[in-house]
Amino acid sequence: MKKILVTGGLGFIGSHTVVELQNEGFEVVIIDNLSNTSIDVLDKITEITGTKPAFHKVDVRVKSDIKSVFDTHKIDGIIHFAAFKAVGESMNKPLDYYENNLSSLIYLLQEMRDRKLDNFIFSSSCTVYGQANALPITEDAPVKAAESVYGNTKQIGEEIIRDTSNTYKINSIALRYFNPMGAHPSIKIGELPIGVPQNLIPFVTQTAAGIRKELSVFGDDYPTKDGTAVRDYIHVVDLAKAHIAALRRLINKKNKKSFEYFNIGTGKGSSVLEIINAFEKVNNLKLNYKIVGRREGDITAAFADTTIANKELNWKTEIGLEEALESAWKWQQKQSV
Ligand code: WQD
C-alpha cells in the first residue's frame, strides 16, 4: 500500500483529499499545525472512511520537525497543501507569507532530494494568471505579475518546483485551482473559515445563517453579463479527486515532463449574482445583499479551459453548481447548531 504524506491534511481541501486517498486504498500520513483548522477534522475523516490517518502536529516552517516525519515514515508521494492563503492578509504580512509558504516547500523538496523520493503534488492557483487575456483560461496562458503576495508565493513556488524537479528527478505536478467550495456529502467535513470569511461562498452561507447581517457584492460595473465578477466555482470533492488523478499519473509514470501543471475547474463561469440566485433557488431562501464598490485587486473574470486536465488526468468534474451550493448550505446549517 503506497503511503502518501499530506501537508495541511486537516484543512478544507486537504481533508477532502485525504478521504479520497483512503477511498482509493492509499495509506495517509497527515501533518498540520492546526493554525487554520481543528483536530476534530481527524475524527471526522475517520468517521467517513473508517480508517484513522496517521497524524503529526507539525509546523512546516520547522525543518527538524519535517525531517523527523520522513525518519518515521517511508513516503511514496507528497501532496503539499500547508500554506497561508488569505489574499488580503498576505498584503499586510508579506514576510510571514514568504516564510511560511516558501520555506516549507523548500524543506519538503530538500527531504525528497536527500532521500531520493519522488511524486510531488503542489497546491497552486489560477491566481497565477491574473486577468487572463482570453477566456476560458488554458495552461499556456501567460503567468502574469502577481497582484498579491499570496499569488506571488504560488508563482515562486511553481518556479522552485520547476527548477528542482528536473535536476533531482522529483516528478511533480502543480494543480492550479479555480474557486473551491462546498462540503463532503456526509456533511462531516467542509470549509471552516476563521473570523470574517474573505471568500464569497462562506460569506453567503454565513449571511443565510444570520451570522452576517448582509452580503456585500463587490462591484456590479464589470464588463460581464450582469456586471458582477465571474469565477469558476468547483466542488471540493471534484477538486480532491483531481489530486488522486495527478498522483496516479506520477506513480504510473505517465507524466510527459518532470514538472507539469493543470487547470482544475469546472470550465463554467458564474457571476456573483448568478451564485446568489442559484443559492437562493436550490436552498429555497432569500439572501440579504447589497451592491458596493469593487474590491481592490479583483479581476473581472476567470474560468478554466479543462481540456488538458480532462484528457491528461482522465478526470472531470461531476458535481454541478446547484448541488455544490446545496452542500455548502447544509454544512453551514450544521455549524450553526
Ligand atoms: C469570488 C468573487 C469577489 C466576497 C481567491 C484567491 C484564490 C483562492 C480563492 C485560495 C469575487 C466576490 C467575494 C464577498 C463578493 N484562494 N465577493 N463579496 O478572489 O476569486 O479567489 O480565493 O485558495 O487563489 O485569489 O475568491 O471568493 O474571494 O471572490 O462580492 O464578500 O466574489 O469580488 O468576484 P477569489 P473570492
Side-chain angles (χ1 to χ4, degrees):
M1 184 187 276
K2 297 275 186 203
K3 187 181 280 193
I4 307 301
L5 172 65
V6 181
T7 75
L10 293 186
F12 175 39
I13 305 166
S15 57
H16 287 80
T17 302
V18 167
V19 165
E20 298 308 322
L21 281 166
Q22 291 188 319
N23 288 346
E24 290 292 310
F26 289 99
E27 187 178 351
V28 176
V29 177
I30 294 172
I31 60 174
D32 202 305
N33 69 355
L34 304 177
S35 68
N36 194 24
T37 184
S38 156
I39 189 65
D40 297 347
V41 175
L42 187 60
D43 292 337
K44 296 299 177 194
I45 291 170
T46 309
E47 281 176 30
I48 294 169
T49 64
T51 305
K52 185 167 189 170
F55 171 75
H56 303 276
K57 187 173 182 292
V58 162
D59 189 319
V60 289
R61 287 167 291 190
V62 181
K63 188 177 173 67
S64 56
D65 286 356
I66 289 185
K67 188 180 179 309
S68 65
V69 172
F70 286 89
D71 289 341
T72 310
H73 299 280
K74 181 188 169 305
I75 298 297
D76 298 300
I78 297 180
I79 305 181
H80 179 39
F81 292 104
F84 293 157
K85 63 155 202 135
V87 173
E89 181 189 56
S90 76
M91 303 307 280
N92 303 324
K93 298 180 174 178
L95 278 179
D96 296 36
Y97 269 67
Y98 286 121
E99 183 200 29
N100 185 68
N101 291 8
L102 297 179
S103 60
S104 59
L105 173 64
I106 291 166
Y107 295 158
L108 287 167
L109 291 172
Q110 286 172 331
E111 289 303 323
M112 294 188 83
R113 173 198 62 194
D114 298 348
R115 300 165 190 263
K116 299 199 179 347
L117 300 179
D118 201 356
N119 311 322
F120 186 72
I121 308 282
F122 179 63
S123 165
S124 189
S125 168
C126 65
T127 201
V128 302
Y129 297 114
Q131 178 55 68
N133 302 330
L135 293 170
I137 303 173
T138 61
E139 281 82 356
D140 56 21
V143 168
K144 291 194 175 170
E147 308 210 359
S148 72
V149 167
Y150 162 77
N152 207 25
T153 67
K154 292 303 179 184
Q155 285 184 15
I156 297 169
E158 286 195 9
E159 288 169 11
I160 290 171
I161 298 164
R162 181 199 60 204
D163 295 343
T164 300
S165 58
N166 191 33
T167 305
Y168 301 119
K169 303 291 170 260
I170 301 171
N171 291 294
S172 304
I173 290 177
L175 297 181
R176 292 173 174 174
Y177 308 160
F178 281 69
N179 289 59
M181 57 92 162
H184 190 266
S186 66
I187 312 299
K188 291 178 183 288
I189 54 175
E191 201 165 359
L192 282 170
I194 292 174
V196 178
Q198 300 304 305
N199 291 129
L200 176 66
I201 303 303
F203 207 107
V204 164
T205 59
Q206 289 192 10
T207 303
I211 297 168
R212 307 292 161 200
K213 196 167 71 64
E214 73 180 347
L215 167 74
S216 295
V217 174
F218 296 145
D220 68 346
D221 58 349
Y222 286 99
T224 62
K225 48 195 130 175
D226 59 22
T228 61
V230 170
R231 298 290 186 276
D232 184 335
Y233 296 92
I234 177 171
H235 192 277
V236 63
V237 170
D238 278 333
L239 177 58
K241 289 180 176 174
H243 291 77
I244 314 305
L247 184 65
R248 287 211 183 283
R249 180 178 175 87
L250 293 181
I251 288 175
N252 298 331
K253 305 205 180 306
K254 299 283 189 209
N255 54 308
K256 294 171 181 165
K257 288 184 287 186
S258 58
F259 175 53
E260 297 177 314
Y261 44 84
F262 299 99
N263 289 349
I264 303 300
T266 67
K268 289 182 279 304
S270 300
S271 72
V272 177
L273 286 177
E274 284 175 323
I275 290 292
I276 292 170
N277 294 335
F279 184 81
E280 290 180 326
K281 176 169 168 254
V282 76
N283 296 312
N284 193 23
L285 52 81
K286 282 308 285 172
L287 198 70
N288 192 17
Y289 69 91
K290 66 180 176 186
I291 307 289
V292 299
R294 294 183 180 190
R295 178 173 65 178
E296 195 191 346
D298 273 353
I299 58 168
T300 298
F303 54 95
D305 181 315
T306 60
T307 311
I308 301 287
N310 296 156
K311 176 171 173 284
E312 296 299 330
L313 297 179
N314 189 27
W315 163 90
K316 63 178 178 52
T317 52
E318 295 162 3
I319 301 172
L321 180 67
E322 293 201 349
E323 182 184 348
L325 289 169
E326 191 176 14
S327 71
W329 177 230
K330 283 182 180 162
W331 167 250
Q332 179 65 59
Q333 287 174 296
K334 213 171 162 192
Q335 304 319 301
S336 313
V337 169

